Amino acid sequence: TNLEAANALLSQVSKEYDILRSQLDAANNGSKENDDKAAFKEKARAEMEAAESARIEKLQQRALSEGATEKDLGNLAVQKKDMKAALQHYTRAIQVVLGDEYNADAPEVSSALLAVAVSAFNNRALVHLKLCSYQEAVSDASFVIHQFNK
């Protein structure tokens, strides 16, 4: 599955990161000439940054996939008129793409992840309205409005 493939890639990138980290540590403690040592450290640092960027990209792809799936499951629950399940799926979608402590101003969230979150917040607001949970509906709708007023 996509999740298993993403986890395998994440594991591979994490191993590469660990190798690069140990190389950098070795460079810090080695007895090479200063120029060679500085070049080696810079190369190792650049490789670590590339590995970290790849790891973050894989995590975002996994979050995007899981978040979209949860949002779609919420949509199916609404069609079945199972509002409790819909709320759970929309909430899970939001948590997956934005994290447990989501922040409307978080700059590190990609536009694709934000699009899933906005849709899940919007859909969850509608479910709250159907359940007469007006305060929660206003809260979720406010997040959506905030995103469009940036």
Side-chain angles (χ1 to χ4, degrees):
T1 67
N2 287 344
L3 182 56
E4 291 168 344
N7 283 332
L9 271 162
L10 180 59
S11 176
Q12 179 183 355
V13 169
S14 293
K15 287 177 186 175
E16 291 173 10
Y17 179 83
D18 291 340
I19 291 168
L20 293 171
R21 172 53 80 186
S22 65
Q23 289 175 347
L24 183 59
D25 290 343
N28 286 331
N29 298 323
S31 61
K32 292 185 173 190
E33 295 294 325
N34 285 341
D35 289 346
D36 290 343
K37 186 176 179 180
F40 182 79
K41 285 171 66 174
E42 183 56 37
K43 181 180 177 190
R45 184 175 291 114
E47 289 175 357
M48 281 182 11
E49 288 174 3
E52 180 67 7
S53 292
R55 184 184 73 81
I56 290 170
E57 177 65 26
K58 296 303 174 201
L59 288 173
Q60 286 182 339
Q61 288 299 322
R62 186 173 80 185
L64 182 61
S65 176
E66 288 180 30
T69 298
E70 287 292 338
K71 182 183 70 71
D72 292 343
L73 290 171
N75 293 346
L76 289 173
V78 168
Q79 289 175 359
K80 294 178 182 178
K81 300 191 185 323
D82 186 352
M83 298 306 155
K84 182 178 178 182
L87 282 177
Q88 290 172 342
H89 287 297
Y90 293 140
T91 299
R92 179 71 181 131
I94 293 163
Q95 289 171 336
V96 166
V97 299
L98 297 182
D100 291 330
E101 297 296 323
Y102 50 83
N103 179 352
D105 297 315
E108 67 276 358
V109 176
S110 74
S111 59
L113 289 173
L114 191 58
V116 171
V118 165
S119 180
F121 269 108
N122 200 44
N123 294 353
R124 193 172 74 172
L126 179 62
V127 171
H128 281 306
L129 280 175
K130 290 182 178 193
L131 295 173
C132 299
S133 301
Y134 301 117
Q135 193 63 26
E136 290 86 352
V138 167
S139 177
D140 284 353
S142 294
F143 177 90
V144 174
I145 291 167
H146 179 76
Q147 293 308 310
F148 288 104
N149 285 333
K150 282 187 172 182

